[in-house]
Amino acid sequence: MSETVSATNNKSAQTRMAAETAGEAVFRDYGPRMDWRSVRALLQDRRHVRFPCEIRFDLSPLLPGECAHTFPRGSSPVEGYVIHIHPYFSTELSGVPFLALHQVWFINQGPETSLDEAELFGSRALGIPLEVYYATLCDLAGSLGGDELC
């Protein structure tokens, strides 16, 4: 095996371990029943979310079928982020933890991280199997007609 492939595999394994560890820490602090109130508290907790964040239920910056997406407030991460979530979920708050946790991983790790790692982080933060977390994300996208994303 070449050194480049070995280094890439090692970095991937480290990143997966970091996602698991970070998710498990969120679970320990916020418990198995994360709700809207818990998500809002989590976003203010710098032990788990590196930069200031807020959630806006706003359709305008989202792509068709997209449930959530994060945008920076400015040119530096310290200025914070806004997690835009489809307005449909403002009345279906049970889906917000799944969507927000997925975005938190990208806020903490940057855009170069993978969807797989974000899903692993979210599943560990909620204390559920990865397959259940992924299926729930797909169901949430399906509720908007965006199930082709899964």
Side-chain angles (χ1 to χ4, degrees), residues 18-110:
E20 288 179 333
T21 302
E24 289 164 0
V26 169
F27 181 79
R28 279 192 306 274
D29 290 346
Y30 290 90
R33 292 181 187 83
M34 188 176 291
D35 59 10
W36 170 239
R37 175 183 266 158
S38 304
V39 169
R40 290 179 36 210
L42 172 67
L43 294 179
Q44 303 308 311
D45 187 342
R46 293 299 158 259
R47 294 173 303 159
H48 300 296
V49 183
R50 291 177 61 190
F51 304 106
C53 296
E54 69 174 289
I55 290 177
R56 289 188 195 152
F57 294 102
D58 180 10
L59 179 62
S60 61
L62 301 179
L63 298 172
E66 192 173 36
C67 295
H69 197 90
T70 299
F71 294 93
R73 284 191 185 133
S75 59
S76 170
V78 297
E79 294 178 68
Y81 293 86
V82 177
I83 301 172
H84 292 271
I85 295 180
H86 195 287
Y88 170 81
F89 298 104
S90 67
T91 60
E92 299 293 331
L93 292 174
S94 63
V96 171
F98 292 85
L99 301 171
L101 286 166
H102 199 255
Q103 298 302 308
V104 163
W105 182 251
F106 289 103
I107 291 165
N108 285 345
Q109 300 300 315

Side-chain angles (χ1 to χ4, degrees), residues 8 10 13 17 34 48 108 124 132 135 140 148-150:
T8 300
N10 189 35
M17 184 181 300
M34 188 176 291
H48 300 296
N108 285 345
R124 295 304 187 264
V132 172
L140 294 171
E148 69 278 354
L149 299 174
C150 292

